[in-house]
C-alpha cells in the first residue's frame, strides 16, 4: 500500500510569527489525519517549526538542499544542517527553481542522490509547461526529467523517494489538471519508473503526488484517482484550515 502524503510547500512565505500562528492552529486540526502530513518551510523557519511540531504527527520538510557536504557555497544549505534540525523531507527541482534559479536535471539528480545518501527523503518535482502540454511533447519531457532525476538511485531507495508531478501551467493559476489528466500523466511517470526499475517497485513503493492549485474543493476528487498518492500544496498550505481540509480529504 502506498500511504498518501500531503505536503505543504510554503515557498517564500511566512515570517517567524506567521509560522508560529499557522502551526499552532494546524497541529490539532490534522492530529487525526490518515495521510502523512508534511510542512516544507523556508530555511529561516525550520528550527522554530521543528520545535513547534515535536511530538505531533506533522513531519518537517525543507525546500532545497545542496549536494556537497560542506564548503564554499555561499547561500547554500547542506543535508547535515537540515538533519540536525529534524528535517525528514526535502523538495528538489521545483519548477520555480528550474525556471528562476538555474536548476537543471543534472543538479536535481545530484541533490537527490545526496539526500538519499544522507537519509533525507527527496520530493522530486517534474512538470511540463503549457506549450509542452499543448504540443504533446509532455510525455517525452516528463519521462526524461524522471529518468535523469533518478540516475544512480538504487532500487532499494525508491521507498524513500517521492515524485511530485506539477504541471507548470497549474501552479498558482487556479487551473487544475483534470482528475483524469493528472491521473494519466502520473501513470506515464510511474510506467517510466517501472521500465527503469521494476513494475512491482513502481506500483508498490513509489509515491507520486499531484501539485498545482490543489485545494479543499478539488482534493477529494483528485485523491480518488488510483495513481495519485498525495499532493504538493502551495497557496492552500498557507492557511491552517484550508491545509487541514486538504490533508484530511
Ligand atoms: P499552488 O498550490 O499554489 O498552485 O502551488 C503548487 C506548488 O507549486 C507546490 O509546490
Amino acid at each position: 500500500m502506498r500511504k498518501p502524503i500531503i505536503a505543504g510547500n510554503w515557498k517564500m512565505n511566512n515570517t517567524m510569527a506567521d509560522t508560529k500562528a499557522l502551526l499552532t492552529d494546524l497541529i490539532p486540526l490534522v492530529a487525526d489525519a490518515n495521510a502523512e502530513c508534511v510542512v516544507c518551510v523556508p530555511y529561516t523557519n525550520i528550527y522554530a517549526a521543528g520545535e513547534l511540531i515535536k511530538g505531533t504527527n506533522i513531519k518537517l520538510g525543507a525546500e532545497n538542499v545542496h549536494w556537497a557536504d560542506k564548503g564554499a557555497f555561499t547561500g547554500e544549505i547542506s543535508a547535515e544542517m537540515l538533519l540536525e534540525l529534524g528535517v525528514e523531507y526535502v523538495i528538489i527541482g521545483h519548477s520555480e527553481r528550474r525556471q528562476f534559479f538555474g536548476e537543471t536535471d543534472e543538479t536535481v539528480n545530484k541533490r537527490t542522490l545526496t539526500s538519499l545518501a544522507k537519509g533525507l527523503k527527496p520530493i522530486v518535482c517534474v512538470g511540463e509547461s503549457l506549450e509542452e502540454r499543448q504540443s504533446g511533447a509532455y510525455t517525452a519531457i516528463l519521462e526524461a526529467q524522471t529518468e535523469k532525476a533518478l540516475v544512480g538511485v538504487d532500487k532499494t531507495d525508491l521507498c524513500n523517494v517521492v515524485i511530485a508531478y506539477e504541471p507548470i501551467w497549474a501552479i498558482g493559476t487556479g487551473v487544475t489538471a483534470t482528475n483524469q489528466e493528472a491521473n494519466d500523466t502520473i501513470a506515464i511517470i510511474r510506467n517510466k519508473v517501472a521500465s527503469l526499475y521494476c513494475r512491482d517497485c513502481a506500483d508498490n513503493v513509489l509515491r507520486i503526488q499531484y501539485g498545482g492549485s490543489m485545494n479543499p474543493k478539488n482534493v477529494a476528487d483528485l485523491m480518488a484517482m488510483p495513481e495519485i498518492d498525495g499532493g504538493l500544496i502551495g497557496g492552500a498550505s498557507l492557511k491552517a484550515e484550508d491545509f487541514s481540509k486538504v490533508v484530511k480529504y
Side-chain angles (χ1 to χ4, degrees):
M1 261 310 283
R2 307 189 304 253
K3 183 177 178 179
I5 170 170
I6 306 282
N9 174 10
W10 288 7
K11 309 191 179 185
M12 197 174 72
N13 292 294
N14 289 334
T15 62
M16 194 76 90
D18 299 333
T19 299
K20 285 183 182 151
L22 202 169
L23 291 176
T24 304
D25 289 345
L26 184 66
I27 289 165
L29 293 175
V30 298
D32 59 346
N34 294 320
E36 178 127 310
C37 173
V38 183
V39 287
C40 298
V41 310
Y43 292 137
T44 48
N45 297 338
I46 290 176
Y47 178 75
E51 290 296 304
L52 284 160
I53 63 178
K54 238 177 220 164
T56 75
N57 60 332
I58 303 175
K59 304 286 170 64
L60 192 56
E63 299 178 16
N64 200 1
V65 63
H66 197 264
W67 54 86
D69 282 354
K70 58 165 78 176
F73 301 103
T74 303
E76 294 293 322
I77 298 284
S78 75
E80 191 188 348
M81 293 167 177
L82 297 178
L83 287 162
E84 190 179 30
L85 301 185
V87 170
E88 201 172 314
Y89 289 91
V90 60
I91 297 170
I92 292 176
H94 192 279
S95 59
E96 288 149 16
R97 303 255 11 130
R98 294 179 190 255
Q99 204 175 340
F100 304 126
F101 301 100
E103 192 79 66
T104 65
D105 289 329
E106 288 67 36
T107 54
V108 168
N109 176 242
K110 286 180 172 187
R111 295 183 207 276
T112 302
L113 290 173
T114 294
S115 298
L116 290 168
K118 300 287 181 184
L120 288 167
K121 296 174 186 160
I123 300 175
V124 180
C125 302
V126 298
E128 82 284 3
S129 66
L130 184 59
E131 198 189 341
E132 291 161 349
R133 165 63 56 172
Q134 287 170 341
S135 72
Y138 67 96
T139 299
I141 282 162
L142 292 168
E143 286 178 343
Q145 285 179 356
T146 303
E147 180 165 11
K148 289 176 183 171
L150 296 177
V151 169
V153 172
D154 195 80
K155 184 164 120 176
T156 56
D157 264 333
L158 278 186
C159 56
N160 294 319
V161 174
V162 178
I163 294 180
Y165 166 57
E166 297 207 311
I168 297 166
W169 45 273
I171 295 176
T173 56
V175 180
T176 328
T178 65
N179 303 327
Q180 200 62 51
E181 257 171 348
N183 187 77
D184 295 353
T185 312
I186 288 177
I188 291 169
I189 296 166
R190 200 180 299 284
N191 287 336
K192 183 67 195 174
V193 175
S195 80
L196 293 168
Y197 293 88
C198 66
R199 188 74 252 174
D200 204 42
C201 11
D203 285 346
N204 294 321
V205 301
L206 177 75
R207 284 174 296 177
I208 309 184
Q209 300 171 313
Y210 168 77
S213 299
M214 207 188 225
N215 60 45
K217 290 207 180 90
N218 59 29
V219 61
D221 289 340
L222 284 160
M223 290 303 294
M225 303 305 287
E227 292 289 347
I228 302 180
D229 301 326
L232 189 55
I233 321 299
S237 74
L238 299 176
K239 291 205 178 102
E241 204 176 310
D242 284 352
F243 189 53
S244 70
K245 285 182 185 156
V246 176
V247 173
K248 298 189 349 181
Y249 61 89

